[in-house]
Amino acid sequence: MKNNIFPALLFLIIIPIMLFSCGGGAEPDTGNRAERQQVQPPTFNADSAFNFVARQVAFGPRVPNSEAHRQAGKWLTETLGRFSDTIYLQETRVRAYDGTVLNIKNIIGVFQPENRRRILLCAHWDSRPYADYDPDPANHFTPIDGANDGASGVGVLLEIARLISQQAPDVGIDIIFFDAEDYGRHRFSNLPDRDTWALGSQHWARNPHRPDYFARFGILLDMVGASDPQFKREGYSMLYAPNIVRKVWEAANRLGYGHIFLNRDGGFVTDDHYYVNTIRNIPTINIIHQDETTEHGFFPQWHTLGDNMEVIDPITLRAVGETVLSVIYSE
Ligand code: AHN
Ligand code: ZN
């Protein structure tokens, strides 16, 4: 027995050691990270992402303090909680621009908490209390579905969460669904507008779920579900995280999405990433649909009752999802 097992052990132990230590170029994956080839990311399922958008919208407008908001928050916490290693629920009260006290929740899913190399992915899960750009003035103070403005980014991130729970990338991922992004001052109000948007991310940036929290970079998804979108290089993203914009736009180009991720500068948008950049100092970009043919500069149904499931196109969800996956699986 002894005599027979020794050559077998040699074969099992010595040969693999030789293979891994030769470094002759046959195994590029053993080189350093910068030279390393991208791992094949898992396949983004656009129907699954679409379904994650539809499930949110089915609760009704997710306006803070409403029953639909409570129910949607519970479902998002359970759903993200199923995919992630650790879930944090950050509940607080904030004061809106008009004095309304809002009960809000930031929902945070952590993957590989022990990994020190981290990437932050985020979107807002609340929807706007006012359709203040609706063509019909009778609708100006009606809450919106926010299928694109809000739910689309969350839908893409839930699909990404599902995929990374099955096949972990080399980096740790934090997915944050920010609350109360869209409770900003309405267009008929004379009250001051400063810092009235993105209340959930302002709170998180000052009180992160872990006091020493840091990520190499962040990606915010906002309005990533309408047909034929244009993602231009958003102003604050270029100011605070130009290398991340380049990295993401290059990934999109490699995947054949250069007609969506345009190599053109867009406007500056005060959105969740602004506070992640300025308060938490994490270089964070915003992938956001900008359209210079509309009066407000966003997709045509922005802040109208028309921002419902009819505007959601799985092709767009896929383009964004594949791009983000490509970036995180090559880090
Ligand atoms: C402003 O209009 C100042 N910010 C827009 C941010 C936003 C609203 N994103 C989605 N809805
Ligand atoms: Zn909005």
Side-chain angles (χ1 to χ4, degrees):
M1 279 297 265
K2 256 185 184 169
N3 283 344
N4 284 341
I5 227 165
F6 189 64
L9 279 178
L10 254 186
F11 204 76
L12 284 169
I13 297 166
I14 308 297
I15 304 294
I17 286 173
M18 286 171 65
L19 279 175
F20 278 101
S21 56
C22 280
E27 293 285 329
D29 266 2
T30 60
N32 75 37
R33 259 168 217 294
E35 295 162 5
R36 196 169 161 157
Q37 288 206 330
Q38 163 158 6
V39 182
Q40 183 66 33
T43 305
F44 188 87
N45 184 331
D47 294 330
S48 170
F50 184 91
N51 190 48
F52 285 135
V53 180
R55 290 288 296 269
Q56 295 170 74
V57 171
F59 287 103
R62 280 93 50 226
V63 175
N65 296 351
S66 71
E67 183 57 22
H69 180 269
R70 262 185 294 282
Q71 292 302 322
K74 183 166 173 274
W75 178 79
L76 286 168
T77 307
E78 287 164 3
T79 306
L80 184 59
R82 265 202 306 281
F83 298 136
S84 52
D85 297 312
T86 313
I87 187 93
Y88 291 82
L89 191 54
Q90 184 175 56
E91 296 185 89
T92 191
R93 281 161 201 253
V94 293
R95 194 173 288 276
Y97 73 96
D98 62 353
T100 309
V101 174
L102 306 176
N103 294 291
I104 67 163
K105 288 184 176 64
N106 293 321
I107 302 164
I108 303 152
V110 178
F111 297 77
Q112 298 179 41
E114 70 291 348
N115 197 328
R116 289 164 50 80
R117 304 169 61 242
R118 311 202 62 77
I119 297 175
L120 168 63
L121 306 176
C122 48
H124 75 90
W125 72 272
D126 64 305
S127 69
R128 183 154 179 77
Y130 322 113
D132 50 346
Y133 276 96
D134 201 273
D136 182 351
N139 296 332
H140 282 168
F141 296 97
T142 305
I144 69 170
D145 277 353
N148 194 28
D149 187 356
S152 65
V154 170
V156 168
L157 293 183
L158 282 175
E159 172 60 6
I160 288 175
R162 187 182 72 80
L163 295 169
I164 61 185
S165 75
Q166 295 173 355
Q167 181 193 322
D170 284 350
V171 284
I173 303 288
D174 303 288
I175 294 182
I176 307 188
F177 299 149
F178 289 123
D179 203 351
E181 188 279 333
D182 233 343
Y183 216 105
R185 189 192 66 167
H186 65 71
R187 59 194 281 239
F188 311 107
S189 169
N190 294 318
L191 294 167
D193 189 38
R194 204 181 142 78
D195 297 332
T196 72
W197 304 83
L199 302 177
S201 53
Q202 291 188 54
H203 176 78
W204 175 83
R206 295 190 179 94
N207 310 277
H209 56 289
R210 292 187 48 156
D212 58 345
Y213 179 76
F214 195 71
R216 300 189 146 196
F217 62 87
I219 302 175
L220 170 65
L221 305 182
D222 196 3
M223 316 182 204
V224 292
S227 295
D228 303 315
Q230 296 191 323
F231 301 126
K232 292 180 244 177
R233 298 176 299 219
E234 185 273 335
Y236 292 118
S237 310
M238 289 302 285
L239 185 60
Y240 295 115
N243 297 337
I244 310 307
V245 175
R246 264 187 285 282
K247 189 200 292 267
V248 172
W249 261 242
E250 271 168 24
N253 262 281
R254 274 196 299 274
L255 291 163
Y257 298 128
H259 58 298
I260 301 179
F261 288 77
L262 306 181
N263 285 317
R264 290 181 44 204
D265 291 323
F268 287 75
V269 183
T270 306
D271 206 337
D272 294 313
H273 72 312
Y274 175 78
Y275 297 101
V276 177
N277 275 299
T278 57
I279 301 175
R280 200 106 282 280
N281 292 312
I282 297 172
T284 301
I285 70 158
N286 193 3
I287 301 178
I288 182 167
H289 184 160
Q290 298 197 57
D291 178 345
E292 61 218 33
T293 70
T294 60
E295 68 166 310
H296 42 65
F298 300 110
F299 71 109
Q301 297 84 2
W302 187 69
H303 293 183
T304 75
L305 298 190
D307 181 5
N308 55 40
M309 280 311 290
E310 285 171 39
V311 311
I312 301 299
D313 185 342
I315 292 172
T316 305
L317 300 174
R318 184 197 310 281
V320 173
E322 284 183 0
T323 299
V324 174
L325 282 173
S326 163
V327 169
I328 66 183
Y329 281 85
S330 50
E331 280 297 312

